[in-house]
Amino acid sequence: MNTSIVRRVLGWLLALEGAFMLLPFVVGLIYREDNTWYFLGVGLAAVLLGLALAYKKAVSTVFYMREGCIATALGWIELSFFGCLPFYLSGEIPRFTDAMFETVSGFTTTGASILSDVESLSHCMLFWRSFTHWLGGMGVLVFLLAVVQLPGGSHMNLMKAESPGPSVGKLRPKVRQTARILYVIYFVMTVIEVILLLAGGMQLFDALTTSFGTAGTGGFGIKNDSMAGYSPYLQWVVTVFMALFGVNFNFYYLLLLRRVRDAFSMEEVRTYFFIIGAAICILMWDLRGDGLALADTLRNAAFQVSSIITTTGFATTNFNSWPQTSRTVLVILMFIGACAGSTGGGIKVSRIIVMFRTMIKELGSYIHPKSIRKIEMDGKVIEHEVLRGINVFFVTYMLIFSLSVLAVSIDGLDMVTNFTSVAATFNNIGPGLELVGPSGNFSVFSPVSKWVLMFDMLAGRLEVFPMLLLFYPPCWKNILRHRAAVARGVH
């Protein structure tokens, strides 16, 4: 284990977070809020400590997948710890566990909250809370790769460890170029949404924070009713952009290259929009007798489907009171999630497609035992290594999910609350059903359960294995053995 390069990555991440804290500091100055000085203090401390960690050169600049996973997992924990300090030190979220929960939820783009009165927070805190969504959406390490020239190679291991989806490829030969392309697309789409929201009469502060939550598919609202109080036009803008940010960003890159046919031939993207369309139709049929006009029913159905499948978590209505069929559809969408290579969470549409085709292949083998069939996607044969990874991911996913539901059940809450709270945090969605529905929050859980759910949020955002590696004893034994060898002068 190359601990020196991990240390440097953690240092640059911390310094980067400290620099970003200047943004909420400026917002606090604009609104003349006293709590804004906490961002300046914590930000300066983070920058100084980060630069101190990154200052000493690494023994070796090349790192492998294990270094990428460890750096990513520790980096996100580090970001969450320092990111929660302004909330905690200012007293706006007085309990450390709650402040940490809110920050982990922000960076992982989950949107699950322990706050019952969001509007009581100061503007600088609301801005930082939403901005963590934007940072975590595309990935903080991806941003680091885009702006900082890290020495050595194998930087793709950092991107693989942080990017959501079963596989990550280079858009350009160099990883830094790929990271820059992703963030340019991400930034431009965010700006376009801000402009469209401003055109609909939304205030600049509201437009920025809403766009941060939409782009990162996070869902932290700055109003107690989330998006319900905004106009139909503004709700439709958010609906469309939630769906767009749930698309694999390779789709947009192909469009930039004017390879329109290749872009629209992506099976995952076509399946993703088919699922959205089918779910909207089912919800509209199930909600047809709710007393609303057809246009309002369509808007609510489209908004919630787009919000849940992209794991954003915004709400225009209390869908917890919807009929059982509609609620069941939303729970299914929680697990499906968005496309790989997007800012959305969940299992991912590409994995669902592969698992479905694996099932079809297995059924065919019962009829034709000697036949040899390959599983394909986008006209390419899926390699055995990818299939194995998807199968292992799904088994691990179900194991963690089951243990988490068991752990939070100790609090004695009802089954629907326990099940959907884990589904909402593990899939990075935000609201669940019953006590954690759109009109509720996660303050009902004990501190122990909140830490379990925090682990679920981090594990769900980082595709499970980087977080599990922190608890894998051989990983740390290798580190201790390496340090002992270095101390003895053994090379």
Side-chain angles (χ1 to χ4, degrees), residues 413-444:
L413 303 178
D414 64 275
M415 181 63 183
V416 175
T417 296
N418 294 333
F419 184 88
T420 59
S421 66
V422 174
T425 51
F426 200 15
N427 295 310
N428 305 133
I429 293 163
L433 298 176
E434 298 299 342
L435 298 180
V436 292
S439 60
N441 59 70
F442 285 74
S443 63
V444 295

Side-chain angles (χ1 to χ4, degrees), residues 338-368:
C339 297
S342 71
T343 61
I347 294 175
K348 304 297 181 302
V349 174
S350 58
R351 285 196 180 101
I352 299 297
I353 294 173
V354 172
M355 286 190 291
F356 178 78
R357 290 183 177 175
T358 303
M359 180 189 69
I360 297 299
K361 177 187 175 184
E362 190 66 19
L363 290 174
S365 67
Y366 279 88
I367 300 174
H368 304 287

Side-chain angles (χ1 to χ4, degrees), residues 20-41:
F20 276 126
M21 284 189 179
L22 289 176
L23 294 176
F25 171 68
V26 172
V27 171
L29 290 179
I30 294 174
Y31 287 94
R32 299 180 180 179
E33 296 170 334
D34 294 335
N35 285 343
T36 191
W37 296 101
Y38 289 100
F39 286 104
L40 181 62

Side-chain angles (χ1 to χ4, degrees), residues 225-362:
D225 63 358
S226 190
M227 293 293 299
Y230 293 106
S231 68
Y233 166 81
L234 295 175
Q235 291 178 7
W236 273 116
V237 170
V238 174
T239 299
V240 171
F241 274 89
M242 284 190 295
L244 292 178
F245 279 107
V247 173
N248 191 320
F249 272 58
N250 286 341
F251 174 84
Y252 300 122
Y253 181 66
L254 290 174
L255 291 181
L256 288 176
L257 296 179
R258 297 182 181 179
R259 294 166 57 183
V260 179
R261 179 175 296 181
D262 291 339
F264 283 95
S265 66
M266 293 177 66
E267 291 185 56
E268 183 183 30
V269 175
R270 289 190 282 114
T271 304
Y272 167 74
F273 282 112
F274 173 79
I275 294 172
I276 289 177
I280 292 174
C281 292
I282 295 173
L283 261 62
M284 286 191 66
W285 175 261
D286 197 42
L287 298 172
R288 64 191 184 282
D290 60 1
L292 294 176
L294 181 61
D296 294 331
T297 302
L298 173 61
R299 186 179 73 254
N300 286 334
F303 189 97
Q304 291 312 144
V305 167
S306 183
S307 177
I308 297 300
I309 194 172
T310 61
T311 70
T312 304
F314 282 137
T316 56
T317 183
N318 183 16
F319 55 79
N320 190 45
S321 62
W322 281 2
Q324 290 297 332
T325 300
S326 296
R327 300 205 311 169
T328 302
V329 169
L330 294 181
V331 171
I332 293 173
L333 294 179
M334 287 182 184
F335 288 94
I336 294 175
C339 297
S342 71
T343 61
I347 294 175
K348 304 297 181 302
V349 174
S350 58
R351 285 196 180 101
I352 299 297
I353 294 173
V354 172
M355 286 190 291
F356 178 78
R357 290 183 177 175
T358 303
M359 180 189 69
I360 297 299
K361 177 187 175 184
E362 190 66 19

Side-chain angles (χ1 to χ4, degrees), residues 2-268:
N2 185 358
T3 56
S4 58
I5 194 66
V6 172
R7 169 183 50 78
R8 291 205 74 188
V9 171
L10 294 179
W12 281 117
L13 272 180
L14 188 56
L16 194 63
E17 181 182 30
F20 276 126
M21 284 189 179
L22 289 176
L23 294 176
F25 171 68
V26 172
V27 171
L29 290 179
I30 294 174
Y31 287 94
R32 299 180 180 179
E33 296 170 334
D34 294 335
N35 285 343
T36 191
W37 296 101
Y38 289 100
F39 286 104
L40 181 62
V42 175
L44 287 175
V47 169
L48 293 175
L49 180 58
L51 292 178
L53 289 172
Y55 177 74
K56 186 178 179 181
K57 290 185 178 181
V59 177
S60 174
T61 57
V62 178
F63 48 93
Y64 299 98
M65 194 62 190
R66 62 183 177 182
E67 283 84 4
C69 289
I70 291 295
T72 300
L74 292 178
W76 279 68
I77 295 173
E78 171 190 63
L79 291 171
S80 299
F81 174 78
F82 280 89
C84 82
L85 292 180
F87 293 122
Y88 177 64
L89 296 176
S90 67
E92 294 206 32
I93 302 181
R95 295 184 179 88
F96 177 77
T97 296
D98 289 346
M100 190 70 172
F101 185 96
E102 201 77 9
T103 309
V104 170
S105 180
F107 275 115
T108 59
T109 71
T110 303
S113 180
I114 49 83
L115 299 172
S116 57
D117 184 12
V118 175
E119 296 178 33
S120 65
L121 293 181
S122 58
H123 288 84
C124 59
M125 297 295 169
L126 285 174
F127 184 91
W128 176 243
R129 183 171 172 265
S130 295
F131 189 66
T132 56
H133 278 337
W134 196 83
L135 284 177
M138 185 56 66
V140 190
L141 283 163
V142 175
F143 187 86
L144 179 67
L145 291 173
V147 299
V148 177
Q149 181 66 52
L150 293 177
S154 303
H155 296 155
M156 179 56 70
N157 289 325
L158 277 176
M159 189 174 290
K160 285 182 178 180
E162 187 180 54
S163 299
S167 63
V168 176
K170 297 180 182 179
L171 301 180
R172 297 294 296 273
K174 293 185 178 180
V175 175
R176 193 180 187 192
Q177 292 176 340
T178 298
R180 285 179 172 177
I181 290 171
L182 290 174
Y183 256 98
V184 166
I185 297 172
Y186 189 51
F187 179 79
V188 169
M189 289 177 64
T190 305
V191 171
I192 293 174
E193 183 183 0
V194 171
I195 293 173
L196 291 176
L197 291 176
L198 291 173
M202 185 179 279
Q203 297 294 319
L204 178 60
F205 181 82
D206 293 28
L208 287 173
T209 51
T210 300
S211 297
F212 292 154
T214 306
T217 61
F220 271 156
I222 61 171
K223 305 293 183 183
N224 290 331
D225 63 358
S226 190
M227 293 293 299
Y230 293 106
S231 68
Y233 166 81
L234 295 175
Q235 291 178 7
W236 273 116
V237 170
V238 174
T239 299
V240 171
F241 274 89
M242 284 190 295
L244 292 178
F245 279 107
V247 173
N248 191 320
F249 272 58
N250 286 341
F251 174 84
Y252 300 122
Y253 181 66
L254 290 174
L255 291 181
L256 288 176
L257 296 179
R258 297 182 181 179
R259 294 166 57 183
V260 179
R261 179 175 296 181
D262 291 339
F264 283 95
S265 66
M266 293 177 66
E267 291 185 56
E268 183 183 30

